[in-house]
Amino acid sequence: MLNKRIKSYMEERGIKQSFLKEPLGMTASTLNALLNGNRKLSAEEYFKICDALDVPLEYFRKEGD
C-alpha cells in the first residue's frame, strides 16, 4: 500500500507528519488517517506528497499497485 510506504519513508528519515500538513492542506487527524491507511489517498494528494518529499512519482509504487 502506498500509504504505508510513504509513512515508512518518513519514519526512516525522521520526517514528521506536520511537514506534510501545509502542502496537503490537511488537519493532523486527516493526515494521520491517510498515512495509516484509514483514508483513501487521492492521485492529487499523492502528487503533492511526492513533490513535498522531493521524490519521483514512481518512488513509492511497486508493481501491482
Side-chain angles (χ1 to χ4, degrees), residues 19-20 23 45-57 60:
F19 178 78
L20 290 179
E45 291 164 344
Y46 179 70
F47 297 152
K48 288 179 181 180
I49 288 170
C50 289
D51 187 50
L53 296 176
D54 197 28
V55 297
L57 293 174
F60 298 109

Side-chain angles (χ1 to χ4, degrees), residues 23-48:
L24 291 173
M26 289 184 179
T27 64
S29 61
T30 302
L31 180 58
N32 188 49
L34 180 97
L35 293 175
N36 285 310
N38 298 321
R39 182 183 174 282
K40 192 171 180 176
L41 176 66
S42 75
E44 182 180 352
E45 291 164 344
Y46 179 70
F47 297 152
K48 288 179 181 180

Side-chain angles (χ1 to χ4, degrees), residues 1-26:
M1 252 174 127
L2 288 174
N3 307 45
K4 294 189 188 233
R5 287 187 213 125
I6 293 167
K7 184 177 179 182
S8 292
Y9 175 91
M10 292 173 63
E11 287 173 349
E12 290 167 6
R13 287 159 181 79
I15 301 169
K16 302 210 178 275
Q17 290 185 17
S18 58
F19 178 78
L20 290 179
K21 279 188 347 183
E22 187 177 324
L24 291 173
M26 289 184 179

